[in-house]
Amino acid sequence: MRKKAKDAVIFSMMKEKGLDFTSLHNKIRKECSENFSYHSVYKAVQQLLEEKVVIKDNKKYYICDEWAKEKITFCEKLRDHLSHVNSFADIPSIIQFGDIRSLHKFLRRLEEDHLAIFNKEKKGTVTWVVYHCYNYLLQPAKELFYVNKLRECNIDFNVLCYGNTPLDKWTRKAFEKFGANMKVNTNVGGITEMNVYDDLAVQIFYGNEFLEVLNDVYNNTSTINELDISELFDRLSKINYQINVAIYKDKNIIKILQGRIKNFF
């Protein structure tokens, strides 16, 4: 397909801070396989000036910053659209994991590759329905970085926590400093956990052995000073994991879940 003169002008100016017309024309002749005449390049530049794609200052031509920003925003939205349209179908409805590390790696990859929650121009909501926010005990800095990133990307982050122990309240205090809305003792999430997004929901079924260890630690730790992370890690490392995940993509299911979540806030 033959490249248009206007495309050649834009392409030639991409890596330049500014070019006068003679330099621009010579650059196009040198780098472009098509043989554009002096007149065709001049006409293309004038059209780009009228369209505010290019600006002229002190006899030099520049790509307009505002036009470039609009193009970047459009491309990001197009990428999000393609991600939703083409990729959701590739996500299995049921997935099994052998450990919590693999589970959380999958969740982060799902969010980054398939969801638009880290697009600062698109406001959204993320809700966790949990027994306990155990990952905050295992890697607090990483978890707070994630919570803060959601806030910076205009995401309303909610947590409905089944537990009401000192460790749950300690987690709530930390999360709320970074803009999260967390409620403890909600009496939801006692059988499964869920991550509810605007486009899909992830339901997590942990094995009994994992939950027994988790509940024992949370129920028998009176203060944060009593928490022995090394012991918790050691006990979890010895577990024969069985984690099953169900993915819900139906918009009606998401709408129902989000409606019920709103009743808690």
Side-chain angles (χ1 to χ4, degrees), residues 169-223:
K169 296 174 182 177
W170 175 67
T171 302
R172 179 184 63 187
K173 184 178 180 180
F175 276 19
E176 288 180 343
K177 286 183 179 179
F178 290 87
N181 301 310
M182 180 171 176
K183 292 188 177 296
V184 299
N185 198 30
T186 59
N187 293 319
V188 294
I191 298 178
T192 66
E193 293 193 358
M194 296 194 77
N195 284 16
V196 181
Y197 306 95
D198 292 328
D199 303 293
L200 56 76
V202 180
Q203 190 169 21
I204 306 168
F205 301 83
Y206 293 103
N208 288 332
E209 192 174 357
F210 173 80
L211 294 178
E212 287 173 1
V213 170
L214 205 60
N215 286 326
D216 180 52
V217 170
Y218 272 84
N219 292 330
N220 292 290
T221 304
S222 300
T223 67

Short mmCIF file of all heavy atoms in Angstrom, two decimals, residues 169-223:
data_model
loop_
_atom_site.label_atom_id
_atom_site.label_comp_id
_atom_site.label_asym_id
_atom_site.label_seq_id
_atom_site.Cartn_x
_atom_site.Cartn_y
_atom_site.Cartn_z
N LYS A 169 -8.60 -6.24 61.82
CA LYS A 169 -8.74 -4.80 62.09
C LYS A 169 -7.45 -4.06 61.80
O LYS A 169 -7.47 -2.91 61.35
CB LYS A 169 -9.17 -4.60 63.55
CG LYS A 169 -10.55 -5.17 63.86
CD LYS A 169 -10.88 -5.07 65.34
CE LYS A 169 -12.24 -5.68 65.65
NZ LYS A 169 -12.55 -5.66 67.10
N TRP A 170 -6.32 -4.71 62.06
CA TRP A 170 -5.01 -4.12 61.75
C TRP A 170 -4.87 -3.94 60.24
O TRP A 170 -4.39 -2.91 59.77
CB TRP A 170 -3.93 -5.05 62.29
CG TRP A 170 -2.53 -4.66 61.97
CD1 TRP A 170 -1.85 -3.56 62.42
CD2 TRP A 170 -1.62 -5.37 61.12
NE1 TRP A 170 -0.57 -3.56 61.91
CE2 TRP A 170 -0.40 -4.65 61.12
CE3 TRP A 170 -1.72 -6.56 60.40
CZ2 TRP A 170 0.70 -5.08 60.39
CZ3 TRP A 170 -0.61 -6.98 59.67
CH2 TRP A 170 0.57 -6.24 59.67
N THR A 171 -5.32 -4.93 59.48
CA THR A 171 -5.29 -4.84 58.02
C THR A 171 -6.20 -3.72 57.52
O THR A 171 -5.83 -2.94 56.62
CB THR A 171 -5.73 -6.17 57.38
OG1 THR A 171 -4.87 -7.22 57.85
CG2 THR A 171 -5.67 -6.10 55.87
N ARG A 172 -7.38 -3.62 58.10
CA ARG A 172 -8.32 -2.57 57.71
C ARG A 172 -7.70 -1.19 57.91
O ARG A 172 -7.81 -0.32 57.03
CB ARG A 172 -9.61 -2.67 58.52
CG ARG A 172 -10.63 -1.58 58.18
CD ARG A 172 -11.85 -1.67 59.08
NE ARG A 172 -11.49 -1.47 60.48
CZ ARG A 172 -12.34 -1.62 61.49
NH1 ARG A 172 -13.59 -1.98 61.27
NH2 ARG A 172 -11.94 -1.41 62.73
N LYS A 173 -7.04 -0.98 59.02
CA LYS A 173 -6.43 0.31 59.31
C LYS A 173 -5.39 0.67 58.25
O LYS A 173 -5.31 1.82 57.79
CB LYS A 173 -5.79 0.27 60.70
CG LYS A 173 -5.20 1.60 61.15
CD LYS A 173 -4.64 1.50 62.56
CE LYS A 173 -4.04 2.82 63.01
NZ LYS A 173 -3.49 2.72 64.40
N ALA A 174 -4.59 -0.32 57.84
CA ALA A 174 -3.56 -0.07 56.84
C ALA A 174 -4.18 0.19 55.47
O ALA A 174 -3.78 1.12 54.76
CB ALA A 174 -2.61 -1.27 56.76
N PHE A 175 -5.16 -0.61 55.08
CA PHE A 175 -5.80 -0.45 53.77
C PHE A 175 -6.50 0.89 53.64
O PHE A 175 -6.45 1.54 52.59
CB PHE A 175 -6.80 -1.58 53.54
CG PHE A 175 -6.19 -2.85 53.01
CD1 PHE A 175 -4.84 -3.10 53.13
CD2 PHE A 175 -6.97 -3.80 52.37
CE1 PHE A 175 -4.26 -4.26 52.64
CE2 PHE A 175 -6.41 -4.96 51.86
CZ PHE A 175 -5.05 -5.20 52.01
N GLU A 176 -7.15 1.31 54.72
CA GLU A 176 -7.90 2.56 54.66
C GLU A 176 -6.99 3.77 54.51
O GLU A 176 -7.41 4.80 53.98
CB GLU A 176 -8.79 2.69 55.91
CG GLU A 176 -9.98 1.73 55.88
CD GLU A 176 -10.86 1.85 57.11
OE1 GLU A 176 -10.38 2.43 58.12
OE2 GLU A 176 -11.99 1.35 57.08
N LYS A 177 -5.75 3.67 54.98
CA LYS A 177 -4.80 4.76 54.78
C LYS A 177 -4.52 5.00 53.31
O LYS A 177 -4.13 6.09 52.90
CB LYS A 177 -3.49 4.44 55.51
CG LYS A 177 -3.56 4.59 57.02
CD LYS A 177 -2.20 4.34 57.65
CE LYS A 177 -2.25 4.51 59.16
NZ LYS A 177 -0.92 4.24 59.77
N PHE A 178 -4.73 3.96 52.50
CA PHE A 178 -4.48 4.06 51.06
C PHE A 178 -5.77 4.10 50.25
O PHE A 178 -5.79 3.77 49.07
CB PHE A 178 -3.58 2.91 50.61
CG PHE A 178 -2.17 3.01 51.11
CD1 PHE A 178 -1.82 2.50 52.35
CD2 PHE A 178 -1.20 3.64 50.35
CE1 PHE A 178 -0.52 2.60 52.82
CE2 PHE A 178 0.10 3.75 50.81
CZ PHE A 178 0.44 3.24 52.05
N GLY A 179 -6.85 4.51 50.90
CA GLY A 179 -8.08 4.78 50.17
C GLY A 179 -9.06 3.63 50.03
O GLY A 179 -10.09 3.78 49.37
N ALA A 180 -8.78 2.48 50.62
CA ALA A 180 -9.70 1.34 50.51
C ALA A 180 -10.88 1.51 51.46
O ALA A 180 -10.78 2.17 52.50
CB ALA A 180 -8.97 0.04 50.82
N ASN A 181 -12.01 0.92 51.10
CA ASN A 181 -13.18 0.83 51.98
C ASN A 181 -13.27 -0.61 52.47
O ASN A 181 -13.64 -1.51 51.70
CB ASN A 181 -14.46 1.21 51.23
CG ASN A 181 -14.42 2.62 50.67
OD1 ASN A 181 -14.10 3.56 51.39
ND2 ASN A 181 -14.71 2.76 49.39
N MET A 182 -12.93 -0.85 53.71
CA MET A 182 -12.90 -2.22 54.22
C MET A 182 -13.82 -2.36 55.43
O MET A 182 -13.77 -1.54 56.35
CB MET A 182 -11.47 -2.63 54.59
CG MET A 182 -11.36 -4.04 55.13
SD MET A 182 -9.64 -4.59 55.31
CE MET A 182 -9.88 -6.21 56.09
N LYS A 183 -14.62 -3.40 55.41
CA LYS A 183 -15.51 -3.70 56.53
C LYS A 183 -15.20 -5.10 57.02
O LYS A 183 -15.04 -6.04 56.23
CB LYS A 183 -16.98 -3.59 56.12
CG LYS A 183 -17.42 -2.16 55.81
CD LYS A 183 -18.92 -2.06 55.59
CE LYS A 183 -19.34 -0.60 55.35
NZ LYS A 183 -19.09 0.25 56.53
N VAL A 184 -15.09 -5.24 58.34
CA VAL A 184 -14.85 -6.54 58.96
C VAL A 184 -16.16 -7.06 59.55
O VAL A 184 -17.15 -6.34 59.65
CB VAL A 184 -13.76 -6.44 60.04
CG1 VAL A 184 -12.44 -5.98 59.44
CG2 VAL A 184 -14.18 -5.48 61.15
N ASN A 185 -16.14 -8.34 59.94
CA ASN A 185 -17.30 -8.96 60.56
C ASN A 185 -18.56 -8.83 59.69
O ASN A 185 -19.66 -8.59 60.17
CB ASN A 185 -17.56 -8.32 61.93
CG ASN A 185 -18.46 -9.18 62.81
OD1 ASN A 185 -18.45 -10.41 62.70
ND2 ASN A 185 -19.23 -8.54 63.67
N THR A 186 -18.40 -9.05 58.38
CA THR A 186 -19.51 -8.86 57.45
C THR A 186 -20.40 -10.10 57.33
O THR A 186 -21.51 -10.02 56.79
CB THR A 186 -18.99 -8.52 56.05
OG1 THR A 186 -18.15 -9.58 55.59
CG2 THR A 186 -18.23 -7.21 56.07
N ASN A 187 -19.90 -11.25 57.80
CA ASN A 187 -20.65 -12.51 57.69
C ASN A 187 -20.93 -12.90 56.24
O ASN A 187 -21.89 -13.62 55.95
CB ASN A 187 -21.96 -12.43 58.46
CG ASN A 187 -21.74 -12.34 59.96
OD1 ASN A 187 -20.86 -13.02 60.50
ND2 ASN A 187 -22.49 -11.49 60.63
N VAL A 188 -20.10 -12.44 55.32
CA VAL A 188 -20.14 -12.93 53.94
C VAL A 188 -18.75 -13.44 53.59
O VAL A 188 -17.76 -13.03 54.19
CB VAL A 188 -20.55 -11.83 52.93
CG1 VAL A 188 -21.97 -11.40 53.17
CG2 VAL A 188 -19.61 -10.63 53.02
N GLY A 189 -18.66 -14.34 52.66
CA GLY A 189 -17.37 -14.92 52.29
C GLY A 189 -16.98 -16.05 53.21
O GLY A 189 -15.80 -16.42 53.27
N GLY A 190 -17.94 -16.65 53.90
CA GLY A 190 -17.62 -17.73 54.82
C GLY A 190 -17.41 -19.07 54.15
O GLY A 190 -16.87 -19.99 54.75
N ILE A 191 -17.81 -19.21 52.89
CA ILE A 191 -17.65 -20.46 52.17
C ILE A 191 -16.64 -20.32 51.04
O ILE A 191 -15.77 -21.16 50.86
CB ILE A 191 -19.01 -20.94 51.59
CG1 ILE A 191 -19.99 -21.21 52.74
CG2 ILE A 191 -18.82 -22.20 50.75
CD1 ILE A 191 -21.36 -21.64 52.26
N THR A 192 -16.76 -19.23 50.27
CA THR A 192 -15.81 -18.96 49.19
C THR A 192 -15.37 -17.49 49.28
O THR A 192 -15.96 -16.71 50.00
CB THR A 192 -16.44 -19.19 47.81
OG1 THR A 192 -17.48 -18.23 47.60
CG2 THR A 192 -17.02 -20.59 47.70
N GLU A 193 -14.34 -17.18 48.52
CA GLU A 193 -13.92 -15.80 48.37
C GLU A 193 -14.19 -15.37 46.94
O GLU A 193 -14.30 -16.19 46.03
CB GLU A 193 -12.43 -15.65 48.70
CG GLU A 193 -12.11 -15.90 50.17
CD GLU A 193 -10.71 -15.44 50.55
OE1 GLU A 193 -9.97 -14.96 49.66
OE2 GLU A 193 -10.35 -15.55 51.74
N MET A 194 -14.29 -14.03 46.74
CA MET A 194 -14.56 -13.51 45.41
C MET A 194 -13.79 -12.23 45.15
O MET A 194 -13.59 -11.44 46.08
CB MET A 194 -16.06 -13.24 45.21
CG MET A 194 -16.95 -14.45 45.27
SD MET A 194 -18.62 -14.11 44.64
CE MET A 194 -18.30 -14.11 42.88
N ASN A 195 -13.38 -12.05 43.91
CA ASN A 195 -12.91 -10.77 43.40
C ASN A 195 -13.92 -10.33 42.35
O ASN A 195 -14.09 -11.02 41.34
CB ASN A 195 -11.53 -10.89 42.75
CG ASN A 195 -10.41 -11.01 43.76
OD1 ASN A 195 -10.64 -11.30 44.92
ND2 ASN A 195 -9.19 -10.81 43.31
N VAL A 196 -14.59 -9.22 42.60
CA VAL A 196 -15.63 -8.75 41.68
C VAL A 196 -15.15 -7.48 40.99
O VAL A 196 -14.86 -6.48 41.63
CB VAL A 196 -16.96 -8.48 42.44
CG1 VAL A 196 -18.03 -8.04 41.45
CG2 VAL A 196 -17.40 -9.73 43.19
N TYR A 197 -15.08 -7.55 39.67
CA TYR A 197 -14.67 -6.41 38.85
C TYR A 197 -15.88 -5.91 38.07
O TYR A 197 -16.98 -6.47 38.18
CB TYR A 197 -13.56 -6.83 37.89
CG TYR A 197 -12.37 -7.48 38.56
CD1 TYR A 197 -12.26 -8.88 38.65
CD2 TYR A 197 -11.35 -6.72 39.11
CE1 TYR A 197 -11.18 -9.48 39.27
CE2 TYR A 197 -10.25 -7.31 39.72
CZ TYR A 197 -10.18 -8.70 39.81
OH TYR A 197 -9.11 -9.28 40.42
N ASP A 198 -15.69 -4.89 37.26
CA ASP A 198 -16.79 -4.36 36.46
C ASP A 198 -17.14 -5.26 35.28
O ASP A 198 -18.24 -5.18 34.73
CB ASP A 198 -16.45 -2.96 35.93
CG ASP A 198 -16.37 -1.93 37.05
OD1 ASP A 198 -17.12 -2.07 38.03
OD2 ASP A 198 -15.57 -0.99 36.94
N ASP A 199 -16.19 -6.13 34.89
CA ASP A 199 -16.39 -6.95 33.70
C ASP A 199 -16.53 -8.44 33.98
O ASP A 199 -17.06 -9.17 33.15
CB ASP A 199 -15.24 -6.73 32.72
CG ASP A 199 -15.07 -5.27 32.35
OD1 ASP A 199 -15.97 -4.74 31.69
OD2 ASP A 199 -14.07 -4.65 32.73
N LEU A 200 -16.02 -8.89 35.09
CA LEU A 200 -16.12 -10.31 35.43
C LEU A 200 -15.93 -10.49 36.92
O LEU A 200 -15.57 -9.57 37.64
CB LEU A 200 -15.12 -11.16 34.63
CG LEU A 200 -13.63 -10.84 34.68
CD1 LEU A 200 -12.98 -11.29 35.97
CD2 LEU A 200 -12.90 -11.49 33.51
N ALA A 201 -16.17 -11.72 37.38
CA ALA A 201 -15.99 -12.05 38.79
C ALA A 201 -15.20 -13.34 38.90
O ALA A 201 -15.35 -14.25 38.07
CB ALA A 201 -17.34 -12.19 39.49
N VAL A 202 -14.36 -13.42 39.93
CA VAL A 202 -13.54 -14.60 40.17
C VAL A 202 -13.93 -15.16 41.54
O VAL A 202 -13.83 -14.47 42.55
CB VAL A 202 -12.04 -14.24 40.16
CG1 VAL A 202 -11.20 -15.49 40.42
CG2 VAL A 202 -11.65 -13.59 38.85
N GLN A 203 -14.40 -16.41 41.55
CA GLN A 203 -14.78 -17.05 42.80
C GLN A 203 -13.71 -18.08 43.17
O GLN A 203 -13.32 -18.92 42.34
CB GLN A 203 -16.14 -17.74 42.68
CG GLN A 203 -16.71 -18.21 44.01
CD GLN A 203 -18.15 -18.63 43.89
OE1 GLN A 203 -18.64 -18.94 42.79
NE2 GLN A 203 -18.86 -18.65 45.00
N ILE A 204 -13.23 -18.02 44.41
CA ILE A 204 -12.10 -18.83 44.83
C ILE A 204 -12.53 -19.82 45.91
O ILE A 204 -13.11 -19.43 46.93
CB ILE A 204 -10.96 -17.94 45.37
CG1 ILE A 204 -10.59 -16.88 44.33
CG2 ILE A 204 -9.75 -18.78 45.74
CD1 ILE A 204 -9.70 -15.78 44.87
N PHE A 205 -12.25 -21.10 45.69
CA PHE A 205 -12.58 -22.16 46.63
C PHE A 205 -11.28 -22.72 47.20
O PHE A 205 -10.54 -23.42 46.50
CB PHE A 205 -13.36 -23.29 45.93
CG PHE A 205 -14.65 -22.84 45.30
CD1 PHE A 205 -14.66 -22.26 44.04
CD2 PHE A 205 -15.86 -23.02 45.96
CE1 PHE A 205 -15.85 -21.87 43.44
CE2 PHE A 205 -17.05 -22.61 45.37
CZ PHE A 205 -17.04 -22.04 44.12
N TYR A 206 -11.00 -22.40 48.45
CA TYR A 206 -9.80 -22.93 49.10
C TYR A 206 -10.10 -24.29 49.73
O TYR A 206 -11.22 -24.58 50.14
CB TYR A 206 -9.32 -21.97 50.19
CG TYR A 206 -8.81 -20.65 49.68
CD1 TYR A 206 -9.58 -19.49 49.77
CD2 TYR A 206 -7.54 -20.54 49.13
CE1 TYR A 206 -9.11 -18.27 49.31
CE2 TYR A 206 -7.06 -19.32 48.66
CZ TYR A 206 -7.85 -18.20 48.76
OH TYR A 206 -7.38 -17.00 48.29
N GLY A 207 -9.03 -25.10 49.86
CA GLY A 207 -9.18 -26.38 50.53
C GLY A 207 -9.30 -26.21 52.04
O GLY A 207 -8.89 -25.19 52.61
N ASN A 208 -9.83 -27.19 52.72
CA ASN A 208 -10.07 -27.11 54.16
C ASN A 208 -8.78 -26.94 54.96
O ASN A 208 -8.75 -26.21 55.95
CB ASN A 208 -10.80 -28.37 54.64
CG ASN A 208 -12.25 -28.39 54.19
OD1 ASN A 208 -12.86 -27.34 53.99
ND2 ASN A 208 -12.79 -29.58 54.03
N GLU A 209 -7.72 -27.61 54.53
CA GLU A 209 -6.47 -27.55 55.28
C GLU A 209 -5.91 -26.13 55.31
O GLU A 209 -5.42 -25.66 56.34
CB GLU A 209 -5.45 -28.51 54.67
CG GLU A 209 -4.23 -28.73 55.54
CD GLU A 209 -3.30 -29.79 54.98
OE1 GLU A 209 -3.64 -30.38 53.94
OE2 GLU A 209 -2.23 -30.00 55.57
N PHE A 210 -5.99 -25.45 54.19
CA PHE A 210 -5.52 -24.06 54.11
C PHE A 210 -6.33 -23.17 55.05
O PHE A 210 -5.78 -22.36 55.81
CB PHE A 210 -5.63 -23.56 52.68
CG PHE A 210 -5.34 -22.09 52.52
CD1 PHE A 210 -4.04 -21.62 52.48
CD2 PHE A 210 -6.37 -21.16 52.44
CE1 PHE A 210 -3.77 -20.26 52.34
CE2 PHE A 210 -6.11 -19.81 52.30
CZ PHE A 210 -4.81 -19.37 52.25
N LEU A 211 -7.65 -23.32 55.02
CA LEU A 211 -8.51 -22.49 55.86
C LEU A 211 -8.32 -22.78 57.34
O LEU A 211 -8.41 -21.87 58.17
CB LEU A 211 -9.97 -22.71 55.47
CG LEU A 211 -10.35 -22.24 54.05
CD1 LEU A 211 -11.81 -22.57 53.76
CD2 LEU A 211 -10.10 -20.76 53.88
N GLU A 212 -8.05 -24.00 57.68
CA GLU A 212 -7.82 -24.35 59.09
C GLU A 212 -6.58 -23.65 59.63
O GLU A 212 -6.60 -23.12 60.75
CB GLU A 212 -7.69 -25.87 59.23
CG GLU A 212 -9.01 -26.62 59.05
CD GLU A 212 -8.82 -28.12 59.03
OE1 GLU A 212 -7.64 -28.58 59.15
OE2 GLU A 212 -9.82 -28.85 58.88
N VAL A 213 -5.51 -23.65 58.85
CA VAL A 213 -4.28 -22.96 59.27
C VAL A 213 -4.53 -21.46 59.38
O VAL A 213 -4.16 -20.82 60.36
CB VAL A 213 -3.14 -23.23 58.27
CG1 VAL A 213 -1.93 -22.32 58.57
CG2 VAL A 213 -2.72 -24.69 58.32
N LEU A 214 -5.19 -20.92 58.37
CA LEU A 214 -5.44 -19.48 58.34
C LEU A 214 -6.29 -19.04 59.53
O LEU A 214 -5.95 -18.08 60.24
CB LEU A 214 -6.16 -19.13 57.03
CG LEU A 214 -6.00 -17.69 56.52
CD1 LEU A 214 -4.54 -17.37 56.26
CD2 LEU A 214 -6.81 -17.50 55.25
N ASN A 215 -7.38 -19.73 59.77
CA ASN A 215 -8.28 -19.36 60.87
C ASN A 215 -7.61 -19.55 62.23
O ASN A 215 -7.86 -18.77 63.16
CB ASN A 215 -9.57 -20.18 60.80
CG ASN A 215 -10.48 -19.72 59.69
OD1 ASN A 215 -10.55 -18.54 59.38
ND2 ASN A 215 -11.19 -20.66 59.08
N ASP A 216 -6.77 -20.56 62.34
CA ASP A 216 -6.07 -20.78 63.61
C ASP A 216 -5.14 -19.61 63.93
O ASP A 216 -5.11 -19.12 65.07
CB ASP A 216 -5.26 -22.08 63.53
CG ASP A 216 -4.52 -22.37 64.82
OD1 ASP A 216 -5.17 -22.37 65.89
OD2 ASP A 216 -3.29 -22.60 64.77
N VAL A 217 -4.42 -19.14 62.93
CA VAL A 217 -3.51 -18.01 63.13
C VAL A 217 -4.28 -16.75 63.47
O VAL A 217 -3.94 -16.02 64.42
CB VAL A 217 -2.64 -17.79 61.87
CG1 VAL A 217 -1.86 -16.48 61.98
CG2 VAL A 217 -1.69 -18.95 61.68
N TYR A 218 -5.33 -16.45 62.72
CA TYR A 218 -6.09 -15.23 62.95
C TYR A 218 -6.83 -15.26 64.29
O TYR A 218 -6.89 -14.24 64.99
CB TYR A 218 -7.09 -15.02 61.81
CG TYR A 218 -6.51 -14.24 60.66
CD1 TYR A 218 -5.78 -14.88 59.66
CD2 TYR A 218 -6.67 -12.86 60.55
CE1 TYR A 218 -5.24 -14.17 58.59
CE2 TYR A 218 -6.14 -12.14 59.49
CZ TYR A 218 -5.42 -12.80 58.52
OH TYR A 218 -4.89 -12.09 57.47
N ASN A 219 -7.39 -16.38 64.63
CA ASN A 219 -8.20 -16.46 65.86
C ASN A 219 -7.37 -16.53 67.13
O ASN A 219 -7.87 -16.25 68.23
CB ASN A 219 -9.13 -17.67 65.80
CG ASN A 219 -10.21 -17.53 64.75
OD1 ASN A 219 -10.65 -16.42 64.45
ND2 ASN A 219 -10.64 -18.65 64.19
N ASN A 220 -6.09 -16.87 66.99
CA ASN A 220 -5.25 -17.04 68.18
C ASN A 220 -4.10 -16.03 68.24
O ASN A 220 -3.12 -16.26 68.95
CB ASN A 220 -4.70 -18.47 68.22
CG ASN A 220 -5.78 -19.50 68.47
OD1 ASN A 220 -6.35 -19.59 69.56
ND2 ASN A 220 -6.08 -20.28 67.44
N THR A 221 -4.22 -14.95 67.53
CA THR A 221 -3.23 -13.87 67.59
C THR A 221 -3.92 -12.62 68.12
O THR A 221 -4.74 -12.01 67.43
CB THR A 221 -2.63 -13.60 66.20
OG1 THR A 221 -2.08 -14.81 65.67
CG2 THR A 221 -1.55 -12.54 66.29
N SER A 222 -3.60 -12.26 69.35
CA SER A 222 -4.29 -11.14 70.01
C SER A 222 -3.79 -9.78 69.56
O SER A 222 -4.55 -8.82 69.48
CB SER A 222 -4.16 -11.27 71.53
OG SER A 222 -4.72 -12.48 71.98
N THR A 223 -2.48 -9.69 69.27
CA THR A 223 -1.89 -8.42 68.83
C THR A 223 -0.94 -8.70 67.69
O THR A 223 -0.47 -9.83 67.51
CB THR A 223 -1.13 -7.72 69.97
OG1 THR A 223 0.02 -8.50 70.32
CG2 THR A 223 -2.03 -7.54 71.20
#
